[in-house]
């Protein structure tokens, strides 16, 4: 009656009042029969027997918080990228600009004179008081001996190839040095064993027994590159020898017997010399 009175005081509906009374009576009956704890254990056992929920699957596409690698420049080498090495080097781009400027004035005076041609060496411009040894500012090659020009039979074989920058005779006994690849290279031009052989170009490494030879200025330098620490590099032989420099060309033009050494060989001349030797 106390419960009924308290519910009436709270103005509970008649339906709610009956429901609460039935719950109280059922609870009391279960306690008397000892079924209250059994029902609680049954609920617990059923909850334990239920299988665990399956794990959540990860989404197929995940949002990567890191920015893509292509947004930033890569510093990997050509070898790591799987690319072929750069086998050629444009040496003209590697020359020091300050060294090039040192030759501007001699070249300007030479062009301004408008008198010099390769056929007229007397009119060429050569800086005053220039004697060997001297260093070419354009490439850093030091010429120690200019050598002598070949004037006899087979002299045409001592001319530079048509692919060279300048057409000129190669002096026999020429000697020059150049530092490259961390070494000091000595370049020489020797006379061939036979007149038809032409000149022999040699490149010696650090005054050792390692000497590379060839029939063109580039041939021994190619072998020197292959044996250096920069094996993929290739250089121009005439450039490293100093034959791409105007000052070297003027010195060759001013050498004794230049006109004779650079004159074409006639077939009659070759036959006459052959008879004399016989």
């Amino acid at each position: 009656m106390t419960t009924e009175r308290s519910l009436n005081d709270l103005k509970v509906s008649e339906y709610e009042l009956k429901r609460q009374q039935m719950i109280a009576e059922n609870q009391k009956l279960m306690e008397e029969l000892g079924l209250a704890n059994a029902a609680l254990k049954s609920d617990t056992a059923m909850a334990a027997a239920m299988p665990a929920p399956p794990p959540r699957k990860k989404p197929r596409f995940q949002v990567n918080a890191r920015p893509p690698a292509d947004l930033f420049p890569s510093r990997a080498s050509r070898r790591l990228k799987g690319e072929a090495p750069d086998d050629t080097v444009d040496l003209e781009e590697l020359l020091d600009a300050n060294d090039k400027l040192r030759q501007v004035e001699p070249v300007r005076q030479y062009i301004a004179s408008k008198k010099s041609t390769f056929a007229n060496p007397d009119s060429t411009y050569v800086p005053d008081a220039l004697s060997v040894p001297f260093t070419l500012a354009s490439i850093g090659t030091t010429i120690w001996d200019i050598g002598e020009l070949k004037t006899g039979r087979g002299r045409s074989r001592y001319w530079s190839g048509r692919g060279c920058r300048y057409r000129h005779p190669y002096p026999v006994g020429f000697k020059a040095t150049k530092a490259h690849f961390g070494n000091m290279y000595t370049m020489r031009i020797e006379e061939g064993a036979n007149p038809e052989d032409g000149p022999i170009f040699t490149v010696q490494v650090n005054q050792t027994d390692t000497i590379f030879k060839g029939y063109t200025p580039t041939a021994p330098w190619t072998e020197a590159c292959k044996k250096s620490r920069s094996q993929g590099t290739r250089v121009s032989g005439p450039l490293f020898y100093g034959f791409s420099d105007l000052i070297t060309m003027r010195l060759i033009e001013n050498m004794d017997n230049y006109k004779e050494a650079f004159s074409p060989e006639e077939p009659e001349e070759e036959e006459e010399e052959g008879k004399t030797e016989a």
Side-chain angles (χ1 to χ4, degrees):
M1 295 300 294
T2 304
T3 304
E4 182 179 356
R5 185 178 301 171
S6 60
L7 292 175
N8 290 332
D9 294 340
L10 295 175
K11 298 181 179 180
V12 180
S13 64
E14 184 179 357
Y15 171 78
E16 183 64 22
L17 180 61
K18 290 182 179 181
R19 192 178 72 83
Q20 294 294 338
Q21 289 178 352
M22 291 181 64
I23 291 175
E25 292 176 358
N26 291 336
Q27 185 68 26
K28 183 178 179 181
L29 180 60
M30 291 180 65
E31 290 177 355
E32 292 176 353
L33 297 177
L35 298 178
N37 293 334
L40 180 60
K41 292 180 180 180
S42 177
D43 293 341
T44 304
M46 291 179 62
M50 293 181 62
R56 296 180 59 185
K57 295 183 179 180
K58 294 183 179 180
R60 180 176 298 180
F61 301 100
Q62 295 183 354
V63 179
N64 191 359
R66 297 181 60 183
D70 55 359
L71 293 181
F72 300 95
S74 176
R75 299 186 63 182
S77 63
R78 288 179 175 268
R79 179 179 60 83
L80 295 178
K81 292 180 179 179
E83 299 178 0
D86 188 3
D87 291 339
T88 59
V89 175
D90 188 359
L91 293 177
E92 292 293 337
E93 296 180 358
L94 300 179
L95 298 180
D96 189 356
N98 293 330
D99 289 341
K100 284 187 174 182
L101 291 177
R102 299 174 188 173
Q103 283 194 317
V104 170
E105 184 61 21
V107 174
R108 186 192 65 79
Q109 295 185 26
Y110 162 70
I111 296 175
S113 65
K114 296 183 180 180
K115 298 179 181 179
S116 175
T117 61
F118 287 109
N120 185 12
D122 295 334
S123 63
T124 59
Y125 174 80
V126 177
D128 296 335
L130 180 62
S131 60
V132 293
F134 66 91
T135 300
L136 297 172
S138 62
I139 190 61
T141 296
T142 300
I143 298 178
W144 298 90
D145 193 342
I146 195 64
E148 298 178 354
L149 296 177
K150 177 77 172 178
T151 57
R153 183 169 61 93
R155 61 180 177 271
S156 60
R157 295 185 178 274
Y158 286 76
W159 299 350
S160 62
R162 299 185 182 277
C164 296
R165 186 173 185 179
Y166 300 114
R167 183 75 166 164
H168 63 89
Y170 287 121
V172 177
F174 177 89
K175 177 184 176 182
T177 57
K178 177 172 176 55
H180 202 62
F181 298 136
N183 299 316
M184 180 60 69
Y185 295 90
T186 302
M187 298 167 282
R188 290 184 173 88
I189 300 178
E190 302 174 356
E191 186 174 4
N194 301 310
E196 60 272 12
D197 292 340
I200 304 297
F201 298 86
T202 65
V203 174
Q204 183 180 15
V205 185
N206 294 330
Q207 298 296 326
T208 63
D209 294 335
T210 303
I211 301 176
F212 306 101
K213 298 183 179 182
Y215 290 104
T216 64
T218 301
W221 268 112
T222 300
E223 296 301 319
C225 290
K226 293 179 180 179
K227 300 297 182 180
S228 69
R229 61 187 180 186
S230 182
Q231 299 179 3
T233 303
R234 296 295 180 269
V235 301
S236 168
L239 179 67
F240 272 30
Y241 266 81
F243 295 131
S244 296
D245 194 292
L246 282 173
I247 294 180
T248 307
M249 293 297 98
R250 301 302 166 252
L251 288 176
I252 293 177
E253 290 178 357
N254 285 337
M255 294 177 65
D256 295 337
N257 303 321
Y258 172 79
K259 290 184 178 181
E260 182 180 355
F262 206 34
S263 61
E265 291 188 74
E266 300 295 338
E268 294 79 4
E269 178 184 353
E270 296 181 359
E271 293 178 1
E272 183 178 350
E273 290 186 1
K275 293 179 181 179
T276 303
E277 292 179 0

